[in-house]
């Protein structure tokens, strides 16, 4: 009997494209489930007697994220640390970083509660119609309570993605959606004898769902098998050096995410809502639901590639990280390219599914054409920024993001809205498209410059030695994969 017998042959490791796809599927489910949660809430409040709740829910959600995204963005870096530890063979450190993330998520969650008294003034500053403001405040006052559980749940999700166990948070996300649907429906419409709370009921559904997810994932973290493999019961003590590392690499991500949310909040609430009124805001809000269908699954692929790139770099295989990133770019381009065609051809009918007012449908269809143009560049940007995050290259991309967002979306959008008001809200939308195109090109250049190969997030010199070894031997014409240390074999194994 020979080795060619399929029953006796050793199972081959998955191809690099197969690894990207198999890792991405559960992570996409995680991201899509959050989009589904918001879309379900948007659809439910659309059945309330007036349009005020539908106009208010997206601005209120953006205000909420403005409070909590600093913590989420900062702690997203847990995936980079745990995946690189996994590639290095330091599984005990994975559990230690998980605990530091939980301590930091608790601290960030408290900041959200401190911000609660500022909500009325912030909502009033948006200067929307009085009935819209009332709905925005009713939603935001409840939703801000989800800050701590949301940050903890997302941090734990990124931990499990980092150790290549993405199905654990995927199942918790799907279960959380069930919790949200039930609680939101009961409290929005006053079912089963509960009071009818309107838009505030949707916020309570979100609080219940993210609290369930955080609890479910925390319990999983402490299960015996997880504790045995990753030391999650042993390495619970606060570690100053570990926390400093997380903050040093993660804070640029947190500031970038915060800037992005604040900029888009200004875009939605001021450059669209205040400048052009409720009809334009309704069109933007409806179009945004479809952009979530585009954006969040692509971000899911991005989180998967962060983990895959981190593990490859931890194992001393930077060229493998290059190949994996190339695969991720292809996957995201195909997905968003397909949706671009759909949005370009069927934008109007898609908008009408949520709001059939003729003016809303007309404006929304034009926004969908704009989205069809910039989405392919968005695919490039998300893939490359995620790969750079896996390498720990966060500072300069964050600086570029923050500066360009404020100059192009806020500055450029305001200029277009002021000088060319006849363009309506499409003027700011095309300014946003310009930003997405420029940042995609910058991130493409940053990745291909390979400056990320010299970054050492642990500060022990090990990454630099591995990169020097790989580069030197690759220059002699040998296969890069044969030049790395024995720990690389684990990076090729099925998670």
């Amino acid at each position: 009997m020979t080795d060619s017998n399929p029953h006796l042959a050793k199972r081959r490791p998955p191809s690099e494209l197969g690894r990207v796809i198999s890792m991405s599927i559960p992570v996409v489910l995680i991201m899509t489930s959050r989009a589904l949660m918001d879309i379900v809430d948007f659809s439910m409040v659309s059945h309330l007697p007036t349009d005020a709740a539908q106009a208010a829910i997206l601005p209120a959600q953006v205000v909420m994220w403005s409070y909590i995204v600093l913590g989420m963005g900062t702690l997203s870096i847990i995936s980079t640390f745990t995946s690189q530890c996994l590639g290095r063979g330091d599984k005990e450190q994975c559990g230690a970083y998980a605990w530091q993330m939980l301590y930091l998520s608790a601290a960030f969650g408290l900041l959200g509660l401190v911000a609660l008294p500022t909500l009325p003034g912030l909502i009033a500053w948006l200067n929307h119609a009085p009935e819209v403001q009332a709905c925005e405040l009713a939603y935001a006052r409840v939703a801000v309570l989800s800050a701590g559980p949301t940050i903890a749940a997302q941090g734990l999700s990124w931990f499990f993605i980092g150790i290549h166990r993405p199905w654990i948070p995927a199942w918790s996300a799907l279960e959380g959606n069930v919790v949200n649907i039930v609680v939101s429906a009961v409290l929005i419409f006053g079912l089963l004898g509960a009071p009818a709370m309107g838009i505030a009921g949707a916020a309570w559904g979100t609080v219940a769902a993210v609290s369930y997810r955080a609890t479910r994932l925390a319990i999983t973290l402490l299960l015996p098998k997880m504790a045995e493999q990753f030391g999650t019961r042993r390495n619970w003590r606060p570690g100053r050096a570990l926390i400093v590392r997380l903050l040093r690499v993660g804070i640029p991500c947190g500031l970038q995410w915060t800037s992005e949310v604040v900029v888009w909040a200004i875009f939605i609430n001021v450059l669209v809502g205040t400048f052009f009124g409720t009809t334009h805001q309704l069109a933007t809000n409806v179009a945004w639901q479809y952009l979530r269908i585009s954006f969040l699954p692509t971000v899911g692929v991005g989180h998967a590639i962060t983990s895959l790139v981190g593990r490859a770099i931890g194992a001393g295989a930077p060229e493998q990280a290059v190949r994996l990133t190339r695969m991720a770019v292809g996957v995201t381009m195909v997905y968003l390219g397909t949706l671009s065609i759909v949005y370009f051809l069927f934008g109007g009918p898609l908008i009408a599914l949520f709001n059939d007012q003729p003016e809303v449908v007309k404006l929304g269809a034009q926004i969908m054409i704009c989205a069809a143009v910039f989405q392919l560049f968005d695919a490039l940007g998300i893939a490359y920024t995620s790969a750079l995050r896996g390498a720990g290259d966060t500072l300069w991309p964050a600086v570029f993001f923050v500066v360009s967002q404020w100059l192009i979306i806020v500055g450029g959008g305001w200029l277009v809205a002021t000088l060319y008001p006849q363009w309506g809200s499409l003027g700011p939308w095309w300014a946003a498209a310009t930003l997405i195109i420029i940042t995609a090109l910058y991130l493409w250049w940053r990745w291909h410059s390979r400056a990320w190969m010299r970054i050492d997030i642990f500060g022990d010199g090990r990454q630099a030695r591995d990169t020097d070894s790989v580069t030197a031997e690759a220059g002699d014409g040998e296969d890069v994969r044969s030049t790395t240390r024995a720990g690389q074999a684990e990076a090729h194994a099925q998670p």
Side-chain angles (χ1 to χ4, degrees):
M1 194 73 68
T2 66
D3 290 344
S4 62
N5 187 309
H7 297 289
L8 296 180
K10 184 178 180 181
R11 183 167 62 93
R12 293 181 179 179
S15 67
E16 286 170 341
L17 177 59
R19 294 178 67 196
V20 170
I21 293 174
S22 63
M23 186 73 171
S24 296
I25 288 173
V27 185
V28 167
L29 285 175
I30 295 169
M31 303 307 298
T32 305
S33 69
R34 180 61 207 218
L36 178 62
M37 187 182 298
D38 290 337
I39 290 171
V40 166
D41 288 348
F42 186 82
S43 178
M44 286 186 184
V45 301
S46 298
H47 289 86
L48 291 172
T50 70
D51 285 337
Q54 190 183 51
I57 190 166
L58 179 58
Q61 287 171 343
V62 172
V63 167
M64 177 196 75
W65 285 108
S66 299
Y67 282 112
I68 68 175
V69 76
L70 176 62
M72 284 184 57
T74 300
L75 297 183
S76 69
I77 207 66
I78 188 69
S79 179
T80 299
F81 278 89
T82 53
S83 61
Q84 289 204 23
C85 284
L86 187 67
R88 290 157 64 106
D90 297 334
K91 289 187 176 182
E92 288 277 326
Q93 285 290 90
C94 294
Y97 278 110
W99 276 103
Q100 314 314 310
M101 178 275 300
L102 286 174
Y103 297 138
L104 288 171
S105 68
F108 280 119
L110 290 174
L111 291 178
L113 298 179
V114 170
L116 186 58
T118 69
L119 286 174
L122 180 57
I123 296 295
W125 176 79
L126 297 177
N127 197 32
H128 294 161
E131 63 274 15
V132 174
Q133 285 192 43
C135 289
E136 289 168 343
L137 187 57
Y139 184 93
R141 276 177 167 161
V142 176
V144 74
L145 301 177
S146 69
T150 297
I151 296 171
Q154 287 299 110
L156 287 167
S157 292
W158 288 317
F159 164 76
F160 286 112
I161 292 167
I163 62 171
H164 288 218
R165 304 292 194 277
W167 280 106
I168 295 173
W171 283 115
S172 76
L174 295 175
E175 294 160 11
N177 266 271
V178 175
V179 174
N180 177 70
I181 290 171
V182 173
V183 176
S184 293
V186 168
L187 295 180
I188 290 173
F189 303 111
L191 306 178
L192 304 177
M197 302 176 66
I199 193 173
W204 280 116
T206 299
V207 172
V210 297
S211 298
Y212 169 84
R213 283 197 65 209
T215 303
R216 162 92 150 75
L217 292 173
I219 292 172
T220 305
L221 182 72
L222 297 174
L223 291 177
K225 186 175 181 180
M226 193 64 58
E228 179 183 355
Q229 290 185 338
F230 297 100
T232 55
R233 294 186 185 180
R234 294 186 293 276
N235 298 312
W236 57 268
R237 292 175 178 81
R240 180 178 176 276
L242 302 186
I243 288 176
V244 169
R245 285 176 194 163
L246 285 175
L247 293 176
R248 175 173 52 83
V249 185
I251 281 178
C253 291
L255 293 175
Q256 174 188 323
W257 287 28
T258 302
S259 172
E260 188 168 357
V261 170
V262 172
V263 164
W264 282 106
I266 293 172
F267 176 87
I268 292 169
N269 294 307
V270 179
L271 297 179
V272 174
T274 301
F275 269 76
F276 300 106
T278 301
T279 299
H280 284 262
Q281 185 145 20
L282 279 170
T284 288
N285 287 8
V286 176
W288 198 272
Q289 309 312 310
Y290 291 104
L291 292 181
R292 282 173 166 162
I293 295 173
S294 305
F295 176 74
L296 288 177
T298 311
V299 171
V301 177
H303 283 300
I305 200 61
T306 294
S307 179
L308 289 167
V309 165
R311 188 173 184 179
I313 289 174
E319 292 298 332
Q320 185 186 63
V322 171
R323 294 191 298 273
L324 288 165
T325 300
R326 189 180 303 125
M327 298 297 176
V329 169
V331 170
T332 56
M333 291 284 283
V334 168
Y335 172 67
L336 287 184
T338 302
L339 284 181
S340 290
I341 295 172
V342 173
Y343 292 169
F344 187 86
L345 296 176
F346 307 106
L350 289 172
I351 296 294
L353 292 176
F354 283 103
N355 193 309
D356 60 0
Q357 296 179 34
E359 189 63 24
V360 172
V361 172
K362 179 182 177 180
L363 289 169
Q366 293 172 335
I367 293 171
M368 296 290 267
I369 292 174
C370 179
V373 172
F374 68 64
Q375 280 193 146
L376 286 177
F377 291 93
D378 212 17
L380 289 176
I382 291 170
Y384 285 123
T385 194
S386 301
L388 290 167
R389 187 168 59 246
D393 189 1
T394 58
L395 177 58
W396 289 111
V399 170
F400 183 87
F401 266 106
V402 172
V403 172
S404 61
Q405 285 164 356
W406 285 91
L407 284 179
I408 298 175
I409 290 189
V410 177
W414 177 84
L415 196 64
V416 172
T418 302
L419 297 180
Y420 303 98
Q422 67 273 21
W423 293 359
S425 59
L426 284 178
W429 267 108
W430 282 110
T434 302
L435 169 80
I436 291 170
I437 293 169
I438 290 174
T439 53
L441 295 175
Y442 166 75
L443 291 166
W444 174 87
W445 170 82
R446 179 74 182 178
W447 174 256
H448 287 282
S449 74
R450 300 202 172 193
W452 53 270
M453 286 189 177
R454 304 295 305 175
I455 292 175
D456 179 8
I457 63 173
F458 299 101
D460 57 8
R462 187 167 162 183
Q463 174 64 32
R465 291 193 299 272
D466 291 334
T467 301
D468 289 343
S469 174
V470 171
T471 303
E473 298 207 29
D476 293 335
E478 297 187 20
D479 185 357
V480 173
R481 285 173 294 183
S482 67
T483 67
T484 58
R485 64 181 183 277
Q488 182 189 342
E490 185 180 1
H492 286 278
Q494 178 75 11

